[in-house]
Amino acid sequence: MFYKDQLKKISVIIPAYNVEDYIEYCLDSVVNQVYTNIEIIVVDDGSDDLTPEILDFWYEQYPEKIKVIHMVHGGVGHARNVGLSVATGDYIAFVDADDEIDKNMYKEMLKVAENQKSDIVICNVLLNEEKIGGKKIVQHSINFGEWSKENYLSGGINLCSPCNKLFHRRTFVGKEFRCITYEDMELIPVLISKVNAISFIRKHYYHYNRRDNSITAKDFHVEDLFEAIASSIENVMEEHKPLLSYWHAQSLISLANNFYICIYLVYNRIQT
């Protein structure tokens, strides 16, 4: 089916590092979007499993739609920047290589972006959580509550993720991710703060699969975390600094509580 906005191209950037078990599910969900004028840029971030071979196979199947870039491992931020440097779309989107998206995601988000002249469109997220030591998947619907830039900056879940968002390419002019662990926490709130128009969609189009072996789950760097927090607060609009400071404070409290629970559980296990 042809949509009048098919002339607008969306560049979907997917950093991929050692995701041989998940990447095909991700690619399948992006390739089969209802909206078809997309280019899929997969940046292999120096994987040492079967990810490179899988990506090359998918490129052979969809050479008109998929671009594959193999590079030395440099981290998620660098991989996203490489994708941005070759993207030709009018709009930019990101997907993590172990997640999936609803087939209508880009059709509906682009429709809102064009109709409302939005710089950023944000959709809701469905969280699939793989529990430690088991295969059970718990699904959580993450809702935003009140829909405004100010409320989102002070309390929005998934505020810092670029993946449930569609960006007009002008949003990234002069901007890039830094090569630190929490690169999205540093940049995305600043982009949201400084753009003119943001739109929200309540549909759960992005499916976030949280696993114990994700990059952030394995590589927790306190220095990077606090550097990203300080940088994001420093660079948002002045009127948004208290809002973002509150959001980061709540996040750190939640992180501290989770850390305490983990220590408590480990201690009890040792005692028994």
Side-chain angles (χ1 to χ4, degrees), residues 128-169:
N128 301 315
E129 185 171 6
E130 183 175 333
K131 290 300 185 180
I132 297 175
K135 297 295 184 180
K136 183 179 180 181
I137 301 296
V138 180
Q139 293 188 338
H140 303 277
S141 295
I142 300 175
N143 291 294
F144 296 136
E146 295 298 322
W147 295 73
S148 70
K149 179 192 291 190
E150 288 70 26
N151 284 338
Y152 192 57
L153 283 170
S154 64
I157 297 176
N158 269 50
L159 165 66
C160 298
S161 172
C163 295
N164 64 322
K165 301 169 178 69
L166 181 68
F167 302 87
H168 195 284
R169 72 172 299 115

Side-chain angles (χ1 to χ4, degrees), residues 78-264:
H78 180 56
R80 286 175 175 156
N81 290 336
V82 170
L84 284 169
S85 70
V86 301
T88 61
D90 303 285
Y91 290 86
I92 305 292
F94 300 90
V95 179
D96 284 344
D98 55 352
D99 294 337
E100 298 152 51
I101 59 177
D102 185 278
K103 67 179 182 180
N104 292 306
M105 179 169 175
Y106 295 135
K107 175 183 74 111
E108 297 301 329
M109 295 183 81
L110 180 62
K111 185 188 301 182
V112 171
E114 288 290 292
N115 288 342
Q116 300 183 16
K117 307 301 180 186
S118 305
D119 299 298
I120 302 175
V121 180
I122 304 171
C123 75
N124 222 323
V125 177
L126 185 67
L127 170 61
N128 301 315
E129 185 171 6
E130 183 175 333
K131 290 300 185 180
I132 297 175
K135 297 295 184 180
K136 183 179 180 181
I137 301 296
V138 180
Q139 293 188 338
H140 303 277
S141 295
I142 300 175
N143 291 294
F144 296 136
E146 295 298 322
W147 295 73
S148 70
K149 179 192 291 190
E150 288 70 26
N151 284 338
Y152 192 57
L153 283 170
S154 64
I157 297 176
N158 269 50
L159 165 66
C160 298
S161 172
C163 295
N164 64 322
K165 301 169 178 69
L166 181 68
F167 302 87
H168 195 284
R169 72 172 299 115
R170 62 175 170 263
T171 307
F172 278 96
V173 173
K175 302 288 193 304
E176 66 177 10
F177 294 92
R178 275 209 300 157
C179 297
I180 58 176
T181 306
Y182 301 94
E183 77 292 332
D184 45 6
M185 182 178 287
E186 178 183 53
L187 179 61
I188 302 303
V190 176
L191 298 182
I192 291 173
S193 172
K194 293 189 173 182
V195 298
N196 294 320
I198 293 180
S199 299
F200 298 90
I201 298 177
R202 292 189 181 275
K203 294 284 188 179
H204 299 74
Y205 287 132
Y206 193 84
H207 297 179
Y208 170 41
N209 298 317
R210 186 162 66 190
R211 300 181 176 91
D212 299 330
N213 61 346
S214 67
I215 297 296
T216 49
K218 292 186 296 183
D219 300 328
F220 177 71
H221 299 287
V222 175
E223 298 88 351
D224 281 359
L225 174 61
F226 283 99
E227 183 179 348
I229 289 173
S231 178
S232 65
I233 293 174
E234 178 183 355
N235 288 295
V236 296
M237 301 292 286
E238 193 66 33
E239 63 267 27
H240 294 149
K241 292 183 188 296
L243 301 176
L244 189 59
S245 298
Y246 176 81
W247 185 90
H248 281 308
Q250 294 301 307
S251 298
L252 289 173
I253 291 170
S254 176
L255 180 65
N257 286 337
N258 290 337
F259 181 74
Y260 172 79
I261 292 171
C262 289
I263 295 297
Y264 176 78

